[in-house]
Amino acid sequence: MLIINRIFRCILLSSIILGCVGCSVSGKQERNYPQQNWVVLHINSTKNLDDLSFLAKHKGKFVLQLVSNDIVEAAVSNIEVNGQKLHEKLQLKYTIESGYVYEFSDPITLQAQTHYTLSLSTSINVKQIRIVPHRSNPIGTGKYYNQWLNMHQSPEKQQALRWFKEARFGMFIHWGLYSQAGGIWKGTQIEDSPYPGPRVAEWLMSPFRIPRAEYQQLASTFNPDKSFAQNFAQLAKKAGMKYLVITSKHHDGFALYDSAVSDYDIVDATPYQGDLIKELYQACLAEGIEFGVYYSHGNDWFDGTDGNYANVKKQNDKLGIYTHAQGKNLWDPSSNTHAEYLSNKAYPQIKELLTLLPKLRLIWFDGDGFITEKQAFEFYKLVYDNNPNVLVSRRVGYQFGDYLDAGDNVIPSASEKMEKQWETVGTTNNSWGFKAYDDDWKSTKELLYYFIDILSKGGNYLLNIGPDGEGKIPQQSAQRLTEMGQWIGTNSDAIFGTTRWDISYEGANETLLSGTGHRAKSGFNRQFTHKDFWFTAKQNKVYAMSLMPPQDSIEILSLGKGSGHIDAVRLLGSTQKLSWKQTDHALVIDARDWQKAENGFAVEIIFK
């Protein structure tokens, strides 16, 4: 049994070319060489390996692989990288020209420009340890970085980012042909579909593997009520939201506006008389709500063939890299190439939306999938060239976004520092599109918790509604947003235009979310107490927010004398004069005469 328990020197394979993970662009092969972003540790018994380490050049999730000249049936293996431990019975996963690849199932997380030590115990006769970017962590060559940075740092983009940072709260809307089905296809709920994939309603076409022609028939009955635009915009305003983002085209390829480059849209394929996106845009502007559109650019199950899966897989197999098929139409792909789809539909539709919506605030790209670094950059540049005031989301690909999202229903820890302004996108139940039988609604207090927790960490909250096929918003969703709006209206000074304070929260530990499935499976069991506070800041002011009705005496430990000299304290939504004192231990406020609001309160603390 070979036991390796040493620290190895890393060799970056920037000069070794084994293949490419690119795809065809305008008839030419774009060559992306992923090995320059790998760390490869060569195991050589003739070297002194006792005091060596490796430097991670990039941050994100990485997969650990062992390369050997030998085949073994199963080998219990343990690996540790700076405290991150993996234990698994490894089996052969890939055969490549240079040997046999064994791979740990769970990824590790690395930080950029950080030194790491690694120890390994295994019976595999290892000749290389490969640390490969996880499929959710594509890393580019840096070829387009300076061009992107010049655009990102332009006065127009920076002004738009200042608006985004102050906006804090927005409405996400997932709406399309799938909304009519409500998560059910031919009497079967999506959870019981025969094929793998996300069980959220807007993915209906994929886990049921519905042929394109059959799915297209949904368009013949898609005829929403004309009141939808006013209803959506008014609810967003009532909820205290400052912006709205709607799915102009989801992965199913159907456009909710009149597109000149495709007949698969609301005007040409449905009985509806009008343009949904344009109507909602106008309604939002009338209500003072800024407007954004979601657009699935890499995945299009109607016109985007297999999402370039076959080409990428062919090259990845040579390298011993997993190619994930999720989100790719492998059951009934269109006959064109993926590059043709981009040139003939995706790029033109982005330009159409920018022309149709001159006051557009942002484009929320999604489904970057297997687009290349060059293609992701071209999407960003296309937006900038047509309207430099429009922000671009992270999911355009290859870190070309103007701002980040933490992930679907993902709330990061207060200890995690984001490199750009960011938002969390969340749902009011457990699906994004309308799911007729999903009654697991988050309470108003739970949603307020996510909101102020995100605020305290410096982020925005983009909270989703899923209207049905007629455009009706589920009553439970509308009610909770309305109740949030009442709290936000009273405490708006603690929300809009604020930044992160030195301390994010005090009291109980964070209740984090790691995804839509996490909340659906585990529920929400947090019990709030009078000791829980979340903080934001603005100039010389700090805001402390609570989700509990006040006790007669309020103690905020983070605001004792060590925090600075306090000049004044104000209860938001009230003009009454407060009695308070700042001790070495805490800020103590007399709240005996306060109204006992069920969902809590916020106080403004003004420092000298």
Side-chain angles (χ1 to χ4, degrees):
M1 179 178 182
L2 171 67
I3 302 294
I4 303 170
N5 194 0
R6 287 170 277 184
I7 303 170
F8 306 109
R9 184 184 304 277
C10 81
I11 301 175
L12 296 178
L13 294 187
S14 57
S15 62
I16 300 177
I17 308 304
L18 299 177
C20 69
V21 188
C23 68
S24 177
V25 184
S26 302
K28 296 181 180 179
Q29 189 78 5
E30 181 190 3
R31 301 183 67 82
N32 286 341
Y33 300 119
Q35 295 89 339
Q36 66 184 347
N37 298 314
W38 296 9
V39 174
V40 177
L41 310 178
H42 290 280
I43 310 306
N44 187 337
S45 60
T46 63
K47 291 183 178 180
N48 180 5
L49 303 174
D50 293 334
D51 58 350
L52 304 177
S53 64
F54 74 86
L55 173 69
K57 296 185 67 175
H58 303 282
K59 69 175 294 185
K61 293 181 178 180
F62 288 78
V63 174
L64 292 167
Q65 298 181 330
L66 309 180
V67 182
S68 174
N69 288 327
D70 303 328
I71 298 177
V72 297
E73 289 189 4
V76 175
S77 302
N78 298 279
I79 199 165
E80 181 174 352
V81 180
N82 280 33
Q84 298 180 76
K85 299 178 181 180
L86 301 178
H87 169 80
E88 191 171 342
K89 185 178 289 186
L90 298 180
Q91 295 181 328
L92 177 64
K93 187 159 182 118
Y94 307 102
T95 300
I96 58 176
E97 291 183 2
S98 58
Y100 303 101
V101 180
Y102 303 82
E103 181 177 288
F104 287 88
S105 300
D106 295 329
I108 60 169
T109 300
L110 301 181
Q111 299 298 323
Q113 302 305 314
T114 302
H115 288 276
Y116 288 88
T117 61
L118 181 151
S119 63
L120 170 68
S121 173
T122 184
S123 59
I124 299 172
N125 185 18
V126 179
K127 69 174 185 178
Q128 285 182 351
I129 301 174
R130 306 196 308 180
I131 306 173
V132 181
H134 187 261
R135 61 180 177 82
S136 65
N137 182 37
I139 300 171
T141 63
K143 177 180 179 180
Y144 305 97
Y145 177 77
N146 288 335
Q147 297 176 68
W148 168 81
L149 188 62
N150 287 336
M151 291 183 280
H152 175 68
Q153 292 181 339
S154 67
E156 295 89 348
K157 288 282 190 181
Q158 293 305 305
Q159 183 177 354
L161 282 167
R162 284 191 290 273
W163 159 79
F164 184 76
K165 187 174 183 178
E166 294 179 356
R168 310 316 295 270
F169 194 30
M171 175 181 283
F172 213 1
I173 303 175
H174 279 66
W175 196 31
L177 299 184
Y178 45 82
S179 304
Q180 299 176 96
I184 301 171
W185 186 251
K186 296 182 178 180
T188 301
Q189 294 181 356
I190 198 169
E191 286 79 7
D192 299 321
S193 62
Y195 304 107
R199 305 308 189 185
V200 285
E202 68 279 5
W203 277 65
L204 184 82
M205 188 178 177
S206 177
F208 284 106
R209 298 190 180 176
I210 305 170
R212 290 180 300 128
E214 186 175 357
Y215 185 85
Q216 185 180 11
Q217 294 174 16
L218 287 171
S220 65
T221 56
F222 189 50
N223 193 17
D225 188 278
K226 272 288 185 180
S227 64
F228 83 90
Q230 188 177 44
N231 294 339
F232 293 178
Q234 288 180 349
L235 178 59
K237 185 174 183 179
K238 190 181 295 185
M241 294 164 163
K242 300 299 184 183
Y243 62 110
L244 180 152
V245 180
I246 186 171
T247 49
S248 64
K249 188 201 78 164
H250 205 271
H251 304 328
D252 63 355
F254 181 79
L256 295 185
Y257 74 98
D258 186 14
S259 174
V261 298
S262 173
D263 291 335
Y264 196 43
D265 64 42
I266 187 67
V267 172
D268 297 308
T270 79
Y272 184 80
Q273 300 297 311
D275 185 314
L276 299 184
I277 295 298
K278 186 175 181 180
E279 291 171 39
L280 183 55
Y281 168 76
Q282 292 171 340
C284 284
L285 294 186
E287 295 291 346
I289 305 295
E290 300 287 353
F291 194 75
V293 292
Y294 167 111
Y295 188 91
S296 175
H297 58 319
N299 292 335
D300 185 311
W301 299 329
F302 195 77
D303 293 307
T305 185
D306 67 348
N308 205 37
Y309 175 82
N311 289 336
V312 172
K313 186 177 188 303
K314 181 179 180 180
Q315 300 300 331
N316 282 353
D317 286 351
K318 296 178 182 178
L319 300 172
I321 303 174
Y322 178 59
T323 307
H324 203 291
Q326 181 170 296
K328 306 295 173 280
N329 184 350
L330 306 184
W331 65 91
D332 182 29
S334 55
S335 59
N336 56 319
T337 67
H338 193 252
E340 288 170 343
Y341 148 72
L342 293 174
S343 297
N344 298 332
K345 185 177 182 181
Y347 293 136
Q349 285 192 334
I350 292 300
K351 188 171 183 179
E352 286 177 342
L353 287 165
L354 292 163
T355 302
L356 177 69
L357 312 170
K359 294 184 178 180
L360 189 67
R361 268 296 187 181
L362 61 90
I363 297 183
W364 213 97
F365 285 101
D366 194 21
D368 49 315
F370 296 136
I371 67 169
T372 65
E373 182 183 13
K374 181 176 186 293
Q375 290 163 349
F377 174 74
E378 286 177 346
F379 274 109
Y380 185 91
K381 187 174 185 300
L382 176 64
V383 175
Y384 182 86
D385 288 345
N386 283 272
N387 188 344
N389 301 288
V390 176
L391 296 175
V392 171
S393 72
R394 168 188 70 88
R395 299 190 195 188
V396 70
Y398 290 90
Q399 303 179 32
F400 289 133
D402 293 310
Y403 66 97
L404 305 175
D405 69 271
D408 295 355
N409 281 302
V410 173
I411 297 181
S413 170
S415 62
E416 184 175 350
K417 307 300 183 188
M418 296 292 193
E419 296 174 348
K420 300 176 185 176
Q421 183 59 30
W422 61 278
E423 70 182 359
T424 284
V425 291
T427 52
T428 48
N429 56 359
N430 296 315
S431 188
W432 302 87
F434 175 67
K435 185 181 282 189
Y437 53 91
D438 182 358
D439 295 321
D440 185 14
W441 299 99
K442 300 177 176 75
S443 70
T444 301
K445 184 163 287 191
E446 181 182 354
L447 292 170
L448 281 171
Y449 164 68
Y450 296 144
F451 181 41
I452 65 175
D453 186 55
I454 290 164
L455 287 177
S456 73
K457 298 167 183 175
N460 291 15
Y461 195 26
L462 187 61
L463 185 55
N464 182 77
I465 61 171
D468 66 15
E470 294 181 358
K472 295 178 182 177
I473 303 165
Q475 183 271 332
Q476 299 92 332
S477 184
Q479 176 185 346
R480 284 152 175 78
L481 264 61
T482 299
E483 291 171 354
M484 289 182 74
Q486 294 168 355
W487 193 95
I488 289 167
T490 299
N491 302 297
S492 60
D493 286 350
I495 298 167
F496 303 109
T498 61
T499 61
R500 182 173 183 163
W501 190 44
D502 297 339
I503 300 169
S504 294
Y505 68 94
E506 70 178 40
N509 291 333
E510 301 170 282
T511 301
L512 302 178
L513 286 181
S514 60
T516 305
H518 174 195
R519 168 56 177 74
K521 180 180 179 180
S522 303
F524 184 78
N525 303 307
R526 182 183 177 117
Q527 299 297 316
F528 298 102
T529 75
H530 295 92
K531 296 181 179 180
D532 298 335
F533 290 94
W534 294 264
F535 303 99
T536 57
K538 184 190 302 179
Q539 298 168 343
N540 65 324
K541 301 172 183 177
V542 169
Y543 297 91
M545 295 171 282
S546 170
L547 289 174
M548 293 292 290
Q551 291 181 312
D552 289 348
S553 180
I554 297 168
E555 289 192 0
I556 308 176
L557 303 181
S558 299
L559 294 170
K561 288 183 178 179
S563 65
H565 181 79
I566 295 175
D567 264 357
V569 178
R570 179 172 70 97
L571 172 63
L572 297 188
S574 172
T575 58
Q576 70 184 94
K577 183 177 177 61
L578 302 184
S579 175
W580 58 273
K581 61 181 179 180
Q582 187 183 26
T583 70
D584 292 338
H585 177 65
L587 170 65
V588 183
I589 309 172
D590 184 347
R592 286 174 291 182
D593 297 330
W594 290 16
Q595 183 178 353
K596 308 301 183 184
E598 178 184 353
N599 288 320
F601 60 92
V603 289
E604 178 184 76
I605 298 91
I606 303 173
F607 284 90
K608 186 174 181 180

